[in-house]
Amino acid sequence: MNKIKLVALVFVGLIGFSSCKKDKLGSALGFGSGKTSSVNIGSASTATGIAYNQKGGFQVEKKFSGQTTGPNLVFIEGGRFTMGTVEEDVLGTHDNIERTVSVQSFYMDETEIANIHWLEYLYAVQKDSTQEFYESALPDTTVWRNDLAFNDPYVEQYLRFPGFRMYPVVGVSWKQANDYCKWRTAAVNKQLAGGYNQVAEGKAPKGKKAQAKAAAAATQRTVAQSKPTIESGKVLPSYRLPTEAEWEYAAKALIGTIQEDENQSNQRIYPWDGPYMRDQFGKKTKGKMLANFKRGRGDYAGVAGKSNDGAIITTEVYSYAPNDFGLYQMAGNVNEWVYDLYRPLSFQDFNDLNPIRRNDYLDKSNLYDKKNNNSLIDNKSRVYKGGSWADVAYWLAPGTRRFIDEDSSTSTIGFRCAMISAGRLK
């Protein structure tokens, strides 16, 4: 009988101990209830016991519930993948040999940046910046001009005519794309914060005391509406160009091939399953082209009445089905700038976690002798990927890569933005 009592007491003690366990606290969980612990987790430091948010004390944002997903962004869960070319290297460049890398979770635009987005940008910088900067932000519309082709209407119409609003912006250099990312970061954060540094307009008060009172109130409003700090959680991380590894990982979207216990059913040549450019599986879309590309010499879209991809040049950014991450046109339509500097041997000099080539470390530009026209490679050579409306299917494979000068622009290169995923466990 005593043994039974002893077992019962131990059991009750274990229940009591488990009920006294402290609330678990995560970065995005906000303030805990404090009902099961002697210290109210979240309202006071678990390291010192000092209360948060006291007058003159350490301030902690109470309402943070995780990073806000910015406009047009899609969450890309990170992981391990085989980066590099998975088909025959027909050009013999050998500049993207397969290797295993891991990429941290991040966000990416679900579409390419469209003409309407760039016009919004031009409107904003014309209001708030110098005329010189506004002119530097203008896309080069002459990229459409060709002495042997009648593309003249696109020179004047493609960027600004409403019929092209949702077509991808082209004629944008790598540098211009980076400037757009910086502006977009500021514009989005200002919008999320409800605007800041704004003083309410109204009739001017009469009398010195009234004017002084109004000025003090205006100062308080300005302080209250000042730019939020990073600690507030109301400011998103910076928009930027994706790294080459991020772009390739997002394009392949191998999350759609995962089976149990990390097994993948197949590798992917393109952002979809199979080696074909036509839909093999859809009941209503079977046989339809999966991307906007050049089918062969002189064939940009097929025949009238049965166009194979529905677009002779670019097409709207939401055309065709998205990949398994929800990203549209990661193959075809336009090539896309990525952040990386081009080096043919990047696959040798890589970090296997979040790899990037941002400078000529370990692979100096003077090894390529561009000065004497023995190479096109220098410290301004930037990678672009994805294939375009004017490219054959070979370039639509995410593992292929090309480069061009960061100041250059063409009618076949656009871009989309990316952003770090801050504080996710995955």
Side-chain angles (χ1 to χ4, degrees), residues 384-416:
Y384 64 93
K385 298 173 75 74
S388 76
W389 59 272
D391 289 317
V392 294
Y394 173 79
W395 295 110
L396 273 60
T400 58
R401 61 201 300 251
R402 287 177 285 182
F403 66 94
I404 195 174
D405 191 274
E406 63 186 26
D407 292 315
S408 298
S409 57
T410 78
S411 61
T412 62
I413 301 180
F415 73 102
R416 71 181 77 209

Side-chain angles (χ1 to χ4, degrees), residues 45-310:
S45 169
T46 56
T48 65
I50 298 174
Y52 295 144
N53 298 331
Q54 300 299 306
K55 187 175 181 180
F58 180 57
Q59 302 298 303
V60 176
E61 175 59 41
K62 294 181 178 181
K63 297 181 180 180
F64 180 68
S65 58
Q67 180 178 340
T68 301
T69 301
N72 202 45
L73 295 181
V74 172
F75 176 68
I76 309 295
E77 181 182 342
R80 178 202 70 221
F81 84 113
T82 302
M83 184 177 179
T85 305
V86 295
E87 60 177 343
E88 183 180 358
D89 185 3
V90 296
L91 298 181
T93 55
H94 305 296
D95 66 348
N96 204 17
I97 305 299
E98 290 180 281
R99 67 275 191 196
T100 301
V101 303
S102 291
V103 175
Q104 176 64 35
S105 298
F106 62 102
Y107 291 89
M108 181 179 273
D109 276 326
E110 66 177 355
T111 67
E112 296 144 344
I113 296 300
N115 286 322
I116 189 69
H117 303 137
W118 200 268
L119 291 173
E120 177 190 14
Y121 169 53
L122 292 177
Y123 172 80
V125 298
Q126 190 171 34
K127 287 180 59 179
D128 299 334
S129 301
T130 64
Q131 182 65 20
E132 182 182 9
F133 183 79
Y134 169 74
E135 292 176 359
S136 72
L138 291 171
D140 181 8
T141 59
T142 64
V143 294
W144 290 106
R145 186 169 291 139
N146 188 316
D147 290 338
L148 299 177
F150 186 64
N151 294 335
D152 305 41
Y154 301 136
V155 175
E156 294 183 359
Q157 304 295 324
Y158 182 81
L159 174 64
R160 299 182 183 276
F161 187 72
F164 291 116
R165 282 173 179 169
M166 294 305 293
Y167 283 55
V169 66
V170 297
V172 173
S173 70
W174 183 90
K175 284 187 173 180
Q176 287 176 310
N178 275 274
D179 286 339
Y180 175 87
C181 292
K182 294 175 184 177
W183 168 82
R184 186 179 177 189
T185 300
V188 170
N189 281 331
K190 186 172 181 178
Q191 175 69 19
L192 291 176
Y196 44 82
N197 294 331
Q198 303 293 323
V199 178
E201 296 180 357
K203 294 183 179 179
K206 297 180 179 179
K208 291 183 178 181
K209 288 185 178 180
Q211 289 176 358
K213 188 176 180 180
T219 299
Q220 289 179 352
R221 285 196 299 271
T222 301
V223 171
Q225 295 168 355
S226 61
K227 184 176 180 180
T229 62
I230 293 176
E231 292 85 353
S232 71
K234 297 175 182 177
V235 178
L236 287 178
S238 298
Y239 284 87
R240 55 175 173 80
L241 290 178
T243 67
E244 184 175 2
E246 286 175 334
W247 193 99
E248 194 170 318
Y249 176 81
K252 287 185 176 181
L254 293 173
I255 192 171
T257 70
I258 296 298
Q259 297 179 333
E260 294 182 7
D261 194 28
E262 297 189 77
N263 292 318
Q264 290 178 314
S265 60
N266 57 273
Q267 179 60 277
R268 279 178 170 166
I269 298 175
Y270 303 110
W272 52 81
D273 287 334
Y276 307 108
M277 307 307 296
R278 296 182 184 271
D279 188 351
Q280 306 171 67
F281 308 108
K283 292 182 179 179
K284 295 183 178 180
T285 58
K286 192 170 184 177
K288 299 288 186 181
M289 287 293 181
L290 292 166
N292 175 20
F293 68 106
K294 186 178 180 180
R295 190 171 169 181
R297 181 172 294 181
D299 184 359
Y300 290 84
V303 298
K306 199 64 177 177
S307 178
N308 62 59
D309 66 27

Side-chain angles (χ1 to χ4, degrees), residues 376-392:
L376 296 174
I377 299 171
D378 64 6
N379 285 339
K380 292 186 176 182
S381 302
R382 298 290 174 174
V383 178
Y384 64 93
K385 298 173 75 74
S388 76
W389 59 272
D391 289 317
V392 294

